[in-house]
């Protein structure tokens, strides 16, 4: 068997694959955070809880109503997106005239409520979610086996991220969004319904989180704390990428997933900390983040 | 000012007689968290900096004190000092990095750095990993006074709390505190007045971290335990809740907030997961409706109309 720096290629590629999968989740989640932060100027602390909610809705759908994976992939984000829009209309809207920190605190409270409720009803042990039939098995790539489902997660995450990037950077709707982040009042004066734009944006960002949750359901076990463990790393990704930067969140998300994977091969003890170490280094060199602009 | 002293004396008198009526261990827990919340309030309420990583200082100091007292044979007071010094050093490092950015960025950076401390606590040998540091002896104060007596321990904790609270109170009402408030109200103006704003922020951060560490160290001696709960980010969230609920930027608010939260956790623990839900609901309610907190709302109620 061939080796790279004393590690069998099989193991290295295996960890790189795990890293790439984690990276896909980081990318989709931090993309949602970036969009929400861009327009609402709120760090959505409930993001992890809503990601967990997406996974749970998929599991509940399958277990109690026989809703299959493909349908859940559409329905769960839709449901969570609508839930998010309600939250925005009923609560977040009241905070825009205040210090941005209140948004963070409110969403933190919401995260506690959502997580607590799921823990009350389903306990903290994980629920299994089977891989859909069409994506069972694995491809033999010659140097390693790639489970089909994992390949699918990476591919669809990339497609969703790039599509979102395209809409925001290249279309008229995206232009409105970007104008809204620069100067909402002026945009309103041009006759654009800015409050609606904000509600929809929050809904979309939250739906992205739920989408990642459904994707994650067959990979990890579905449990109420799956979001709160992941979200802090995603926050670090957002800080490294430059808060609010669309491209930054996608690239950094995938990149850091890979870095984590490589670290797990060569120095496993550091794999949980490596993202934060990188964050410190980036902050020292570029306080605004890799892709961020200095405000 | 004069009213503050009256409240302080009443509070002190109440705390001296309280162990006759209330379970002392509960009171000690309350005092530890009240000190933690007061130290946090120095930063959020008086400097306008929301740190979401204060568990790192609380828990970091808890571990160091536990290790020093249990494994290195430190006396309790030296253990507290060691914990405090560690927290101050951590505060210096985290603070220097975080004050490079403001607002939400500041909160995120403190949170992520605190999470790093959490993972280190999980990895290091001396922290006992998942088990934590158990069976930390309370020891003899100055080598003489036996702290295993529950009432002696209570009064020791009360003295520690009073010292910590007094330091914070003096800091707030000193010229230094005035500059902090100026930074909170209008940072650009404070800069234009010639103050080295970053230096003031850093000093406030280190002071807050050190006192949070003192609270964490004391907690270790009370419960004879330092564990991952102390460094987990939920702890950072809890101290924000205490401060917000009691009233940030008020002298006594954090004490009231800590009393409500600790009381809720103690007396409603039979409700299991509902405690988390209730805590979250209180958070939401505070942010939406009672942003001044309990003490802040009370103060507004008793203030004579037109006196503002």
């Amino acid at each position: 068997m061939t080796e790279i720096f004393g590690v069998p290629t099989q193991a290295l590629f295996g960890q790189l694959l795990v890293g790439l999968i984690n990276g896909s989740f980081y990318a989709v989640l931090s993309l949602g955070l970036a969009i929400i932060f861009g327009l609402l100027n709120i760090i959505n602390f409930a993001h992890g809880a809503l990601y967990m909610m997406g996974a749970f809705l998929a599991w509940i759908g399958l277990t109690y109503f026989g809703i299959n994976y493909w349908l859940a992939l559409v329905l769960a984000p839709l449901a969570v997106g609508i839930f998010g829009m309600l939250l925005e209309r009923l609560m977040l809207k009241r905070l825009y005239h205040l210090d941005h920190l209140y948004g963070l605190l409110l969403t933190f409270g919401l995260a506690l409520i959502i997580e607590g409720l799921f823990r009350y009803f389903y306990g903290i042990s994980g629920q299994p979610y089977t891989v859909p039939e069409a994506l069972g098995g694995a491809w033999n790539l010659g140097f390693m086996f790639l489970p089909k489902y994992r390949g699918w997660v990476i591919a669809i995450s990339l497609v969703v991220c790039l599509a979102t990037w395209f809409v925001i950077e290249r279309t008229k709707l995206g232009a409105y969004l970007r104008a809204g982040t620069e100067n909402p009042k002026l945009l309103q004066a041009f006759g654009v319904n800015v409050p609606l734009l904000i509600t929809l944006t929050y809904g979309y960002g939250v739906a992205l989180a739920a989408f990642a949750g459904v994707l994650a359901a067959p990979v990890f076990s579905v449990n109420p704390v799956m979001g709160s463990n992941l979200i802090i790393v995603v926050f670090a990704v957002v800080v490294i990428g430059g808060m609010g930067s669309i491209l930054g969140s996608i690239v950094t998300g995938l990149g850091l997933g890979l870095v984590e994977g490589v670290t797990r091969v060569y120095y496993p003890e550091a794999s949980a900390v490596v993202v934060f170490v990188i964050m410190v280094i980036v902050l020292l060199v570029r306080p605004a983040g890799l892709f961020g602009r200095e405000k | 000012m004069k009213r503050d002293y009256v409240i302080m004396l009443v509070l002190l008198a109440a705390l001296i007689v309280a162990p006759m009526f209330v379970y002392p261990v509960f009171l000690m827990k309350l005092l530890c968290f009240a000190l933690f919340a007061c130290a946090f309030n120095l930063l959020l309420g008086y400097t306008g900096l929301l740190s979401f990583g204060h568990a790192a200082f609380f828990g970091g100091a808890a571990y160091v004190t536990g290790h020093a007292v249990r494994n290195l044979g430190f006396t309790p007071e030296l253990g507290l000092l060691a914990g405090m010094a560690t927290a101050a050093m951590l505060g210096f490092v985290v603070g220097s990095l975080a004050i490079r950015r403001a607002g939400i960025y500041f909160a995120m950076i403190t949170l992520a750095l605190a999470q790093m401390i959490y993972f280190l606590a999980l990895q290091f040998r001396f922290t006992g990993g998942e088990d934590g540091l158990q069976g930390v002896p309370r020891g003899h104060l100055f080598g003489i006074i036996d702290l295993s007596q529950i009432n002696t321990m209570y009064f020791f904790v009360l003295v520690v709390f009073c010292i910590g609270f007094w330091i914070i109170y003096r800091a707030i009402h000193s010229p230094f505190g005035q500059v902090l408030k100026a930074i909170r109200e209008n940072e650009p103006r404070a800069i234009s007045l010639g103050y080295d704003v970053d230096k003031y922020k850093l000093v406030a951060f280190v002071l807050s971290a050190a006192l949070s560490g003192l609270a964490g160290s004391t907690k270790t001696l009370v419960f004879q335990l330092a564990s991952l709960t102390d460094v987990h980010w939920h702890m950072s969230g809890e101290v924000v809740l205490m401060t917000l609920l009691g009233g940030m930027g008020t002298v006594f608010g954090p004490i009231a907030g800590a009393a409500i939260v600790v009381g809720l956790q103690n007396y409603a623990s039979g409700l299991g997961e509902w405690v988390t839900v209730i805590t979250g609901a209180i958070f939401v309610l505070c942010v939406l409706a009672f942003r001044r907190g309990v003490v802040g709302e009370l103060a507004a109620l008793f203030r004579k109309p037109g006196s503002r």
Side-chain angles (χ1 to χ4, degrees):
Chain A
M1 198 185 282
T2 43
E3 292 186 356
I4 300 176
F5 296 121
V7 172
T9 39
Q10 201 80 21
L12 180 63
F13 282 119
Q15 286 302 337
L16 281 182
L17 176 66
V18 173
L20 208 52
I21 294 226
N22 284 337
S24 310
F25 290 128
Y26 296 162
V28 177
L29 287 173
S30 60
L31 178 62
L33 278 176
I35 295 172
I36 292 173
F37 179 74
L39 203 61
L40 286 76
N41 245 319
I42 279 175
I43 278 292
N44 188 29
F45 225 106
H47 218 67
L50 294 164
Y51 156 85
M52 177 270 289
M53 209 167 147
F56 250 102
L57 286 184
W59 177 80
I60 290 170
L62 185 71
T63 315
Y64 297 108
F65 305 102
I67 295 172
N68 70 18
Y69 173 80
W70 304 105
L71 211 52
L73 211 49
V74 180
L75 288 182
L78 206 63
V80 174
I82 292 170
F83 177 66
M85 285 193 256
L86 279 176
L87 290 182
E88 197 275 337
R89 270 291 142 111
L90 295 175
M91 297 179 176
L92 284 169
K93 209 179 89 178
R94 295 163 201 273
L95 302 177
Y96 294 147
H97 64 284
L98 296 169
D99 193 325
H100 306 319
L101 299 173
Y102 285 106
L104 187 154
L105 296 178
L106 181 87
T107 48
F108 175 67
L110 289 173
L112 286 183
I113 296 177
I114 297 171
E115 223 183 87
L117 283 176
F118 275 93
R119 263 170 36 184
Y120 176 75
F121 287 110
Y122 298 101
I124 47 167
S125 58
Q127 313 283 357
Y129 190 99
T130 42
V131 175
E133 243 170 69
L135 294 173
W139 288 299
N140 187 354
L141 300 183
F143 53 90
M144 66 176 291
F145 281 95
L146 174 67
K148 281 186 191 165
Y149 186 77
R150 304 195 165 213
W152 152 255
V153 168
I154 297 168
I156 190 70
S157 304
L158 270 178
V159 169
V160 167
C161 284
L162 291 177
T164 307
W165 173 82
F166 182 81
V167 169
I168 291 177
E169 298 290 340
R170 293 283 181 273
T171 64
K172 198 167 177 192
L173 177 68
Y176 283 156
L177 271 174
R178 281 177 286 133
T181 59
E182 293 285 331
N183 195 338
K185 273 190 188 137
L186 192 65
L187 190 65
Q188 185 110 40
F190 279 122
V192 177
N193 189 345
V194 174
L196 181 69
L197 197 66
I198 289 179
T199 308
L200 288 176
T201 305
Y202 188 74
Y204 182 70
V206 160
L208 271 182
F211 181 77
V214 183
L215 283 182
V219 182
F220 310 111
S221 68
V222 179
N223 71 78
V225 290
M226 63 193 281
S228 69
N229 293 335
L230 186 63
I231 192 69
I232 311 287
V233 182
V234 176
F235 281 154
V237 170
V238 171
V239 171
I240 297 169
M243 235 175 270
S245 160
I246 304 293
L247 192 64
S249 57
I250 301 172
V251 174
T252 344
L254 285 170
L256 286 176
L258 280 177
V259 170
E260 255 186 6
V262 173
T263 316
R264 211 172 292 124
V265 176
Y266 290 103
Y267 192 58
E269 292 83 2
S271 64
V273 186
V274 69
V275 172
F276 302 109
V277 175
I278 293 177
M279 188 192 76
V280 171
I281 296 168
V282 169
L283 280 175
L284 286 174
V285 184
R286 281 186 62 103
L290 291 177
F291 294 80
R293 284 167 303 165
E294 198 75 55
K295 270 189 186 170
Chain B
M1 275 298 254
K2 212 171 172 186
R3 202 185 54 188
D4 281 357
Y5 289 124
V6 175
I7 299 177
M8 266 185 241
L9 283 176
V10 172
L11 206 64
L12 185 63
L15 283 169
I16 287 173
V17 294
M20 283 191 250
F21 307 99
V22 189
Y23 185 45
V25 175
F26 169 72
L27 285 174
M28 286 192 268
K29 184 178 178 188
L30 200 161
L31 284 175
C32 291
F33 280 101
L35 178 58
F36 187 21
C38 287
F40 177 79
N41 184 39
L42 176 66
L43 209 53
L44 176 61
Y46 290 95
T47 323
L49 295 173
L50 172 60
S51 156
F52 223 102
H54 255 48
F57 313 125
F58 184 82
Y63 274 121
V64 168
T65 302
H67 181 64
V69 172
R70 194 182 76 161
N71 301 340
L72 306 178
F74 278 41
T75 51
E77 72 283 357
L78 287 178
L80 291 190
L81 284 180
M84 236 176 124
T86 311
M89 276 189 312
L90 272 178
F92 181 74
V93 175
V94 174
S96 321
L97 279 167
I99 54 170
R100 298 160 69 90
R101 308 289 284 150
I104 297 177
Y105 300 82
F106 179 88
M108 306 300 316
I109 292 164
T110 48
L111 172 62
L113 287 172
Q115 199 60 8
M116 199 161 138
I117 308 284
Y118 174 82
F119 283 121
L120 289 180
L122 197 61
Q123 298 281 348
F124 276 148
R125 247 259 195 86
F126 85 91
T127 57
E130 301 271 354
D131 300 328
L133 276 174
Q134 296 169 0
V136 177
R138 282 182 185 160
H140 290 68
L141 189 58
F142 306 116
I144 317 165
I145 306 165
D146 186 6
L147 288 182
S148 58
Q149 283 289 323
I150 196 152
N151 276 324
T152 321
M153 185 65 198
Y154 175 76
F155 284 104
F156 173 60
V157 173
L158 184 57
V159 169
V160 169
F161 171 80
C162 288
I163 293 172
F165 184 80
W166 187 245
I167 292 173
I168 294 167
Y169 188 84
R170 287 313 309 157
I172 293 167
H173 293 92
S174 67
F176 169 71
Q178 297 300 323
V179 178
L180 292 187
K181 277 181 231 172
I183 294 172
R184 179 190 68 186
E185 295 302 329
N186 193 336
E187 187 168 340
R189 188 182 291 168
I191 295 171
S192 76
L193 286 174
Y195 289 111
D196 188 346
V197 166
D198 281 356
K199 208 167 81 191
Y200 276 93
K201 280 184 182 173
L202 188 59
V203 173
F205 198 95
V206 172
L207 186 60
S208 170
L211 289 168
S212 302
L214 180 62
S217 300
T218 315
K219 193 236 79 184
T220 301
L221 290 181
V222 171
F223 290 98
Q224 307 183 295
L225 169 79
S227 70
L228 286 176
T229 328
D230 301 332
V231 271
H232 197 266
W233 64 267
H234 275 159
M235 184 64 83
S236 304
E238 236 159 63
V239 75
V240 183
L241 174 64
M242 289 173 190
T243 310
L244 189 68
L245 178 59
M248 54 181 164
T250 60
V251 176
F252 299 103
I255 303 177
I260 296 172
V261 173
V262 174
L264 179 76
Q265 286 167 350
N266 252 51
Y267 293 108
S269 58
L271 296 174
E273 295 304 339
W274 284 112
V275 175
T276 319
V277 180
I278 294 168
T279 313
I282 294 177
F283 232 114
V284 170
L285 207 67
C286 274
V287 173
L288 285 178
F290 307 106
R291 274 183 290 274
R292 281 184 294 202
V294 175
V295 170
E297 296 287 347
L298 280 179
L301 205 65
F302 287 119
R303 197 174 286 131
K304 285 178 207 118
S307 71
R308 274 177 81 176

